[in-house]
């Protein structure tokens, strides 16, 4: 019943796209499309939440679509319901934001048809219950989002971003196709139920893990498969960027979790080594890349890479604990990972909305051309600040909760019997701690350069606050950030059935703990109370303010900035995004990016100004992608010659191919 | 009745850290001055400074935003709560379970995040230089700090400071290589976090390598008083933390008698005095380093912290 309703909502989204194509580019269409998307996502969100909170039994539906002898299987279980809730919360917020934001779109007819399709695709992936439906939905999601990435195709670089995205998405789908082929086996057991019963051999399991890591990892943005992400996510309109960064990467995480923790059966211990190593590298590399960016949306996209690393660390720990039968610890690690999935989808959507608001208000994405927006856009500035604090893992907001839980899971690692893991996990913990501190630096930069200081351009000076609907979407998400931060127990309890399903154990229920604290393992080991920390901080801050204003002085005088007595009238003397990142670039960048600074001094008599030039090299691109691209070009040039052969040569080629095939068949055992 | 007493003790701890913090800074300054054969300001000078600043009017830069005016209170509140959660004279206080060591570090991280934003708010180059360097230092100091937390948590089986302190007083601990390394790492982090020599110089306002003081350059009056008090609280917090974990002797257990509390308080004062003396000696004996040598210093702390964690698995306690 519930599933039928969910599928009808998705069908409604598909129909909406037809409507959008038919009715063209009137503002009414815009309102209908986003309004209906909002309604459909809200219904789906409520369905998913009731399913998850009620821990209801799985329900399934088979539709006579797709492959004739398989059909299209759909199923909702608690894992699916959790990700459905994440997808539709993001979708609802994005639709609400777009109701206001979409008005500024120059070419809405390029966005509107794809938007509901993209939402439908993401929902279908989460509900699919056989390999065929999963892959078709996955590819559908990729292609519709590609359509959104190149919506503004006249902006330079967007077409290149779309091209890189298309190539990487095809690669991802290809590897997933191979993975499901291996799982289905020669008998063609395509439904997930059959795959679950199949118990693949260790070699097949390992191969599937690697293939899924490439397939789902490339979609999620695991380093070194992240290259498309910082190009494609910023290219799309901001509400779509929020969906791609906040939600679509989570659908990719869903794919990984579904295959590796559910379908593959009991994990091997070394799987976790691969996942943990990739997660650790991803989170530090992601945030270092993010720190080097001056484009606000690209910075946010790279920060998504970092957070995917954090999620994969949680999942890797869950795999490690599950492999050794430490189910309670595995439940903790899994809950940490999944809670970060939720948290990241919330604050990343919020931050992308904020960047969209800045883009509407000023027409600028480059932080070097912004500044001082807190005066002109106070409400956007406030919610953006909440998002920045949340993503920097600061208490009492939500990002801290999931990182804290991940640290608690890391601290259980000495009980693992494997020596390799005993040494690896603390090192990963150090990487996680470093990425958290660097993320704080990154978002001080993002907020400080964009919203604080003095305006660097007239565009920033004449900015204006955005419309109410956009603000409403952002305030809703900011409220969720705070709610999860001060009442984390409720959200952790909601995840208990998911942990039960995937690792066969659940964390202690947090609902009954006194004072709404969270106690992941035992009282004496660790506990945290977001509510009390929030209340104490609020109380002591207001107490101090009250006492000082009453008892000491509340006088205030405005004067020019002191700046140690140096009058600097020009806003150009402020610290820029580049100069803010300079110390970190010097410390980490010389190693990771081969960062070099050199002065570009004009010859005597030359009138151009001297410049300080910074060279950054993307070593991953140079080592991995550039050679692959060159190789593909070379091979295709060679193969191109095949088109210009004589008929004799073609005939001999056909004959040779036939002989080879017969030989293979003869030798094949 | 018992709950009221527990509340009173928790309240006393909160007040005590607030009242003792300027004294600790005064003591460090006095000892440093004596070591340099100066007479130095009286011990209560920091209180006088605070009182004077509180009474003065605030001179606010023309383009300072509301955030700039809120941040001193945020920073102060976060630091105060963090400092009140570190066990000083008694462990296992009423609210000690509301945040463990990781949360305390994160609270300090919040304070630093907002202070760095304040540095960027007015849009002067001094503020920016301070903020960007502070965040660079934090990006190494925080992981180093967390690695020491890992070591302690793995030894004591808890990130709860009261449990760690109780465990450290028990006989099961003994001397361990890991603990020694962790102490080194924690001290190095404490020096960096509190902007002490050799990382930063708390005594100057005009030096090109300054970090913390540059960040708060635009503050004046009551705002500056709160920022100063926060730094003093932070110094007290770190000395208490090192005392609580590595010198837990004399600390009263939870539910102790008034006599035990008095002993705990006396022991705490002695620990603070020792901490202040050692810090002053260290600061007098060493020269300030260039800002880009700080990463090496903190990188060493990070490596020590990591080694401390890894040695846990291969070394035995003596």
């Amino acid at each position: 019943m519930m599933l039928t309703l969910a599928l009808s909502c998705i069908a409604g989204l598909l129909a909406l796209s037809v409507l959008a194509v038919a009715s063209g580019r009137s503002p009414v269409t815009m309102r209908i499309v986003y309004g209906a998307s909002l309604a459909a996502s809200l219904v789906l969100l409520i369905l998913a939440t009731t399913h998850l909170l009620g821990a209801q039994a799985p329900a399934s539906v088979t539709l006579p679509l797709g492959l004739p002898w398989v059909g299209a299987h759909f199923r909702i279980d608690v894992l699916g319901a959790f990700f459905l809730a994440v997808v539709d919360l993001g979708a609802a917020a994005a639709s609400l934001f777009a109701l206001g934001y979409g008005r500024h779109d120059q070419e809405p007819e390029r966005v509107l048809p794809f938007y509901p399709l993209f939402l439908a695709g993401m929902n279908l992936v989460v509900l699919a219950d056989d390999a065929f439906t999963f892959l078709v939905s996955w590819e559908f999601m990729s292609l519709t989002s590609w359509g959104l990435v190149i919506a503004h195709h006249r902006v330079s670089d967007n077409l290149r971003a779309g091209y890189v995205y298309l190539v990487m998405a095809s690669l991802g789908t290809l590897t997933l196709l191979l993975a499901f082929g291996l799982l289905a086996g020669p008998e063609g057991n395509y439904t997930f139920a059959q795959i679950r019963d199949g118990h693949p051999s260790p070699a097949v399991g390992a191969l599937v893990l690697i293939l899924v890591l490439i397939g789902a990892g490339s979609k999620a943005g695991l380093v070194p498969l992240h290259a498309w992400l910082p190009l494609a996510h910023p290219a799309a309109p901001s509400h779509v960027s929020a969906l791609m960064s906040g939600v679509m990467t989570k659908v990719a995480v869903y794919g990984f979790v579904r295959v590796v923790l559910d379908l593959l059966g009991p994990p091997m211990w070394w799987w976790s080594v691969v996942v943990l190593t990739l997660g650790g590298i991803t989170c530090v590399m992601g945030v270092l890349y993010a720190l080097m960016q001056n484009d606000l949306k690209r910075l946010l996209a790279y920060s998504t890479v970092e957070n995917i690393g954090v999620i994969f660390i949680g999942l890797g720990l869950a795999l490690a604990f599950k492999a050794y039968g430490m189910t309670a610890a595995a439940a903790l690690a899994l809950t940490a990972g999944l809670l970060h999935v939720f948290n990241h989808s919330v604050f990343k959507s919020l931050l992308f909305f904020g960047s969209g608001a800045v883009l509407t208000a000023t027409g600028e994405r480059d932080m070097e051309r912004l500044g001082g927006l807190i005066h002109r856009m106070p409400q956007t500035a406030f919610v953006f600040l909440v998002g920045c604090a949340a993503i920097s893992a600061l208490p009492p907001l939500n990002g801290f909760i999931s990182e804290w839980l991940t640290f608690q899971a890391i601290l259980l690692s000495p009980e693992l019997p494997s020596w390799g893991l005993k040494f690896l996990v603390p090192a990963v913990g150090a990487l996680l701690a470093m990425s958290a501190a660097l993320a704080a630096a990154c978002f001080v930069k993002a907020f400080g350069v964009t919203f604080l200081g003095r305006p660097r351009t007239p565009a920033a000076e004449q900015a204006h606050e955005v419309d109410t609907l956009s603000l409403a979407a952002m305030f809703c998400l900011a409220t969720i950030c705070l709610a999860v931060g001060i009442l984390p127990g409720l959200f952790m309890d909601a995840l208990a059935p998911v942990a039960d399903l995937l690792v066969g154990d659940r964390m202690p229920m947090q609902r009954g703990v006194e004072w709404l604290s969270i106690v992941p393992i035992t009282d004496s080991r660790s506990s945290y109370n977001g509510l009390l920390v929030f209340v104490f901080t609020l109380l002591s801050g207001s107490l101090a303010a009250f006492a000082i204003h009453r008892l000491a002085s509340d006088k205030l005088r405005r004067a020019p900035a002191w700046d140690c007595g140096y009058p600097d009238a020009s806003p150009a003397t402020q610290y820029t995004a580049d100069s803010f990142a300079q110390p970190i670039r010097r410390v980490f960048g010389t190693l990771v990016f081969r960062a070099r600074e050199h002065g570009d001094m004009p010859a005597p008599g030359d009138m151009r100004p001297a410049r300080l030039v910074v060279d950054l090299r993307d070593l991953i691109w140079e080592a991995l992608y550039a050679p692959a691209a060159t190789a593909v070009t070379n091979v295709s040039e060679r193969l191109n010659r095949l088109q210009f052969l004589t008929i004799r040569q073609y005939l001999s080629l056909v004959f040779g191919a036939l002989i080879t095939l017969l030989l293979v068949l003869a030798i094949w055992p | 009745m018992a709950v009221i007493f527990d509340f009173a003790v928790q309240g006393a701890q909160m007040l005590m850290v607030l009242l003792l913090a300027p004294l600790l800074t005064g003591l460090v300054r006095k000892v440093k001055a004596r070591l340099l054969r100066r007479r130095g300001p009286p011990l209560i000078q920091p209180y006088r400074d605070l009182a004077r600043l509180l009474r003065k009017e605030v001179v606010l830069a023309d383009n300072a935003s509301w955030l700039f005016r809120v941040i001193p209170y945020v920073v102060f509140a976060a630091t105060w709560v963090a400092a009140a959660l570190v066990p000083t004279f008694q462990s296992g206080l009423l609210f000690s379970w509301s945040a463990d060591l990781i949360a305390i570090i994160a609270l300090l991280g919040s304070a630093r995040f907002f202070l760095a934003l304040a540095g960027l708010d007015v849009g002067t180059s001094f503020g920016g230089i301070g903020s960007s360097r502070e965040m660079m230092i934090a990006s190494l100091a925080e992981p180093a700090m967390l690695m020491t937390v890992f070591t302690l948590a793995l030894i004591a089986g808890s990130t709860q400071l009261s449990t760690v302190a109780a465990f450290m007083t028990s006989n099961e601990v003994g001397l361990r290589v890991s603990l020694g390394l962790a102490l080194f790492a924690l001290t190095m982090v404490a020096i960096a976090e509190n902007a002490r020599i050799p990382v930063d110089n708390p005594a100057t306002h005009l030096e090109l390598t300054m970090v913390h003081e540059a960040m708060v350059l635009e503050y004046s009056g009551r705002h500056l008083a709160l920022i100063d008090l926060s730094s003093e609280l932070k110094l007290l917090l770190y000395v208490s933390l090192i005392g609580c974990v590595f010198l837990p002797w004399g600390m009263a257990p939870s539910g102790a008698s008034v006599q035990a509390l008095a002993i705990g308080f006396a022991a705490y004062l002695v620990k603070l005095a020792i901490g202040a003396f050692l810090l002053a000696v260290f600061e007098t004996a060493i020269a300030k380093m260039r800002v880009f040598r700080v990463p090496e210093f903190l990188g060493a702390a990070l490596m020590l912290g990591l080694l401390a964690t890894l040695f846990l698995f291969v070394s035995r306690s003596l």
Side-chain angles (χ1 to χ4, degrees):
Chain A
M1 180 58 215
M2 217 155 145
L3 191 54
T4 324
L5 187 54
L7 288 173
S8 352
C9 282
I10 296 171
L13 286 172
L14 294 176
L16 202 57
S17 143
V18 180
L19 180 84
V21 173
S23 62
R25 49 175 306 170
S26 76
V28 185
T29 321
M30 195 267 311
R31 259 178 244 138
I32 292 175
V33 168
Y34 288 130
S37 304
L38 173 63
S41 350
L42 279 179
V43 172
L44 284 162
L45 175 64
I46 293 168
L47 288 179
T49 321
T50 43
H51 189 100
L52 184 64
L53 292 181
Q56 290 169 7
S60 49
V61 166
T62 311
L63 295 181
L65 299 168
L67 296 181
W69 61 95
V70 182
H73 296 255
F74 294 99
R75 182 167 177 268
I76 184 167
D77 58 359
V78 279
L79 175 66
F82 168 67
F83 277 95
L84 198 64
V86 170
V87 167
D88 285 296
L89 178 65
S95 307
L96 180 60
F97 180 76
L99 273 174
Y101 179 74
R103 265 181 288 177
H104 309 287
D105 207 335
Q106 299 297 320
E107 296 170 305
E109 72 276 12
R110 292 183 179 278
V111 177
L112 289 179
F114 289 109
Y115 181 78
L117 290 183
F118 179 41
L119 296 187
M122 291 193 291
N123 278 305
L124 284 174
V125 173
V126 179
L127 291 176
D129 195 39
D130 66 75
F132 184 75
T133 318
F134 183 91
L135 285 171
V136 168
S137 318
W138 183 279
E139 193 61 6
F140 188 68
M141 170 181 88
S142 300
L143 289 179
T144 45
S145 55
W146 172 76
L148 291 165
V149 165
I150 58 163
H152 298 161
H153 62 114
R154 290 197 184 84
V155 180
S156 59
D157 291 348
N158 279 9
L159 281 178
R160 175 169 173 262
Y163 176 68
V164 175
Y165 177 35
L166 202 58
V167 170
M168 291 301 288
S170 315
L171 174 78
T173 313
L174 174 69
T175 55
L176 281 180
L177 189 72
L178 294 175
F180 279 112
L182 281 172
L183 282 173
E187 298 85 29
N189 297 326
Y190 288 118
T191 64
F192 283 177
Q194 286 170 322
I195 293 176
R196 229 172 257 131
D197 296 333
H199 293 306
S201 68
V204 170
L207 207 52
V208 169
L209 175 82
I210 302 298
L211 288 171
V212 171
L213 265 179
I214 297 175
S218 69
K219 181 66 81 191
L222 271 188
V223 171
L225 302 166
H226 65 283
W228 65 274
L229 193 150
L231 300 174
H233 288 188
S238 291
H239 58 295
V240 179
S241 310
L243 278 177
M244 292 182 76
S245 241
V247 179
M248 191 176 71
T249 53
K250 306 309 174 302
V251 177
V253 172
Y254 165 78
F256 179 81
V257 172
R258 176 62 83 192
V259 174
V260 175
L261 278 155
D262 184 20
L263 300 182
L264 267 182
M268 309 282 286
W269 71 270
W270 62 265
W271 294 4
S272 61
V273 176
V274 182
V275 178
L276 280 170
T277 316
L278 280 177
I281 293 172
T282 302
C283 66
V284 172
M285 288 301 289
V287 71
L288 281 176
Y289 273 115
L291 264 164
M292 299 303 131
Q293 308 305 317
N294 293 340
D295 179 328
L296 187 55
K297 285 179 82 175
R298 186 163 293 177
L299 180 147
L300 293 176
Y302 269 119
S303 136
T304 299
V305 174
E306 181 229 338
N307 282 279
I308 289 297
V310 177
I311 292 168
F312 271 81
I313 288 177
L315 297 178
L317 285 169
L319 274 176
F321 290 126
K322 191 185 174 189
Y324 286 109
M326 299 161 64
T327 50
L332 168 61
L334 187 71
T335 310
L338 292 183
L339 196 61
H340 201 71
V341 164
F342 178 76
N343 289 342
H344 180 247
S345 79
V346 175
F347 47 64
K348 188 49 63 72
S349 300
L350 168 59
L351 290 169
F352 264 114
F353 293 166
S355 74
V358 170
L359 194 58
T360 328
T362 63
E364 288 289 347
R365 272 165 42 179
D366 187 356
M367 293 194 282
E368 306 283 36
R369 301 174 58 77
L370 295 167
L373 292 182
I374 194 170
H375 300 286
R376 311 282 308 182
M377 314 169 67
Q379 301 183 53
T380 308
F382 177 74
V383 282
F384 199 85
L385 179 64
V386 173
C388 286
I391 202 170
S392 311
L394 302 182
L397 295 170
N398 59 351
F400 174 68
I401 305 289
S402 32
E403 294 223 359
W404 186 78
L405 288 173
T406 313
F407 279 127
Q408 295 300 336
I410 286 174
L411 286 173
L412 290 173
S413 65
E415 292 162 31
L416 287 166
S418 144
W419 280 92
L421 281 173
K422 265 187 203 194
F423 285 118
L424 176 67
V425 175
V428 170
L431 290 180
L432 181 63
M434 190 179 275
S435 74
L438 286 169
C442 179
F443 283 93
V444 166
K445 165 176 155 169
F447 186 82
V449 177
T450 313
F451 286 95
L452 303 180
R454 285 173 284 167
R456 294 181 174 83
T457 51
E461 211 163 354
Q462 286 144 20
H464 50 87
E465 189 58 276
V466 286
D467 56 282
T468 338
L469 286 170
S470 307
L471 281 175
M474 291 192 273
F475 270 98
C476 284
L477 293 180
T479 317
I480 298 176
C481 283
L482 185 65
V484 182
I486 59 180
L487 299 170
L490 300 182
F491 293 84
M492 284 159 65
D493 283 349
L495 285 170
V498 185
D500 224 355
L501 173 76
L502 294 179
V503 297
D505 203 347
R506 49 174 69 202
M507 287 180 65
M509 287 309 266
Q510 309 292 333
R511 208 164 294 157
V513 180
E514 291 175 326
W515 295 84
L516 300 167
S517 299
I518 49 171
V519 179
I521 309 141
T522 56
D523 251 347
S524 62
R525 194 175 172 98
S526 54
S527 59
Y528 169 71
N529 190 323
L531 184 63
L532 272 187
V533 167
F534 178 63
V535 169
F536 280 158
T537 318
L538 203 62
L539 271 184
S540 44
S542 8
L543 189 73
F546 177 74
I548 289 172
H549 283 92
R550 274 315 271 286
L551 303 176
S553 154
D554 60 350
K555 284 202 283 293
L556 190 104
R557 182 158 56 89
R558 290 275 180 176
W562 159 230
D563 202 21
C564 262
Y566 294 99
D568 58 347
S570 162
T573 58
Q574 294 178 84
Y575 247 49
T576 58
D578 245 346
S579 43
F580 187 86
Q582 189 259 357
I584 290 176
R585 187 174 67 225
R586 217 168 135 168
V587 175
F588 297 96
T590 40
L591 180 70
V592 181
F593 304 113
R594 301 273 184 280
R596 296 278 178 277
E597 288 174 9
H598 58 88
D600 173 25
M601 199 54 111
D606 196 348
M607 295 306 283
R608 72 194 166 86
R611 288 185 183 283
L612 181 72
V613 185
V614 180
D615 296 324
L616 289 180
R617 286 169 54 191
D618 189 341
L619 295 182
I620 296 176
W621 183 273
E622 286 174 21
L624 211 63
Y625 291 85
T630 325
V632 168
T633 317
N634 285 343
V635 169
S636 55
E637 267 172 19
R638 296 266 159 77
L639 287 178
N640 199 20
R641 283 183 213 154
L642 284 180
Q643 296 188 19
F644 304 102
L645 298 182
T646 59
I647 187 79
R648 285 191 310 281
Q649 285 165 316
Y650 278 125
L651 283 175
S652 43
L653 260 182
V654 171
F655 185 67
L658 189 67
I659 296 290
T660 322
L661 282 176
L662 287 173
L663 272 177
V664 168
L665 274 181
I667 299 167
W668 196 266
Chain B
M1 187 61 211
V3 175
I4 295 174
F5 184 68
D6 285 349
F7 255 111
V9 173
Q10 178 74 55
Q13 152 117 343
M14 261 195 118
L15 267 183
M16 184 199 71
V17 289
L18 194 61
L19 292 179
L20 279 182
L23 184 67
L24 180 68
T25 305
L27 186 62
V28 175
R29 283 188 198 153
K30 185 81 182 170
V31 177
K32 262 174 88 173
R34 297 302 300 165
L35 286 171
L36 296 171
R37 296 226 150 187
R38 289 190 286 117
R39 184 181 290 155
L43 276 180
I44 57 159
Q45 189 59 41
Y47 296 99
R48 288 185 189 158
D49 292 345
L50 287 178
R52 166 163 297 182
L53 282 173
L54 282 174
R55 282 200 306 271
K56 280 187 177 257
E57 70 173 355
V58 167
V59 181
L60 202 61
D62 282 328
N63 60 332
S65 66
W66 59 268
L67 192 61
F68 189 76
R69 296 171 62 180
V70 175
I71 281 173
Y73 299 98
V74 176
V75 171
F76 170 71
T79 319
W80 191 18
V81 170
L85 287 169
V86 176
T88 52
F89 57 91
Q90 189 190 18
S91 65
L93 289 182
L94 187 57
F95 288 118
S96 64
W97 43 263
S98 64
D100 66 350
L101 189 46
I102 298 178
I104 292 175
I105 297 168
L107 266 176
L108 291 178
S110 299
R112 175 173 47 228
F113 179 87
F114 284 106
L115 204 54
L117 285 182
L120 290 168
D121 186 65
V122 177
T124 55
S125 36
F126 269 115
I129 203 173
S131 297
S132 77
R133 287 177 174 178
E134 176 87 357
M135 293 321 280
M136 180 267 283
I137 291 175
S139 70
L140 283 162
E142 219 173 86
M145 181 77 193
L146 271 173
M147 288 326 285
T148 23
V149 175
F150 278 15
T151 314
L152 296 174
L154 294 182
I155 291 178
S158 168
T159 49
Q160 211 68 297
L161 264 177
S162 293
T163 321
V164 175
F167 183 84
M168 289 294 172
T169 34
S170 67
N171 292 325
E172 305 165 45
V173 189
L175 279 171
R176 300 182 73 143
V177 184
S178 291
L179 276 180
L181 294 178
L183 175 61
F184 255 105
L186 184 58
T187 316
M188 287 162 93
V189 171
I191 286 168
E193 288 276 0
N194 284 298
R196 311 301 301 193
I197 295 175
V199 174
D200 196 356
N201 191 350
T204 172
H205 266 294
L206 260 188
E207 191 179 337
L208 270 179
T209 52
M210 67 188 179
V211 181
H212 179 86
E213 295 297 332
M215 205 164 43
V216 303
L217 195 61
E218 296 297 328
Y219 275 117
S220 57
R222 53 181 184 275
H223 295 160
L224 185 61
L226 281 174
I227 302 262
D228 281 350
L229 187 54
S230 309
S231 341
E232 286 159 6
L233 271 169
K234 198 166 163 188
L235 181 64
L236 181 91
L237 183 153
Y238 272 94
V239 177
S240 313
L241 182 63
I242 294 175
C244 151
V245 175
F246 293 99
L247 308 164
W249 299 286
M251 195 187 289
S254 72
S257 62
V258 177
Q259 197 181 7
L261 287 183
I263 295 176
F265 186 66
Y268 178 61
L269 287 184
V270 172
K271 285 176 211 168
L272 282 189
I274 294 174
F277 183 74
L278 289 179
L279 178 63
V281 171
F282 179 76
E283 280 201 300
T284 321
I286 202 159
K288 165 99 179 60
M289 56 170 110
R290 284 180 59 217
V291 76
F292 281 108
R293 288 203 40 212
V294 173
E296 296 166 22
F297 178 79
L298 285 169
L302 179 59
M303 281 304 122
L304 283 178
L306 195 57
L307 274 183
T309 315
L310 298 184
F311 272 168
L312 276 181
F313 303 120
V314 289
S315 73
R316 286 157 184 278
S317 81
L318 293 174

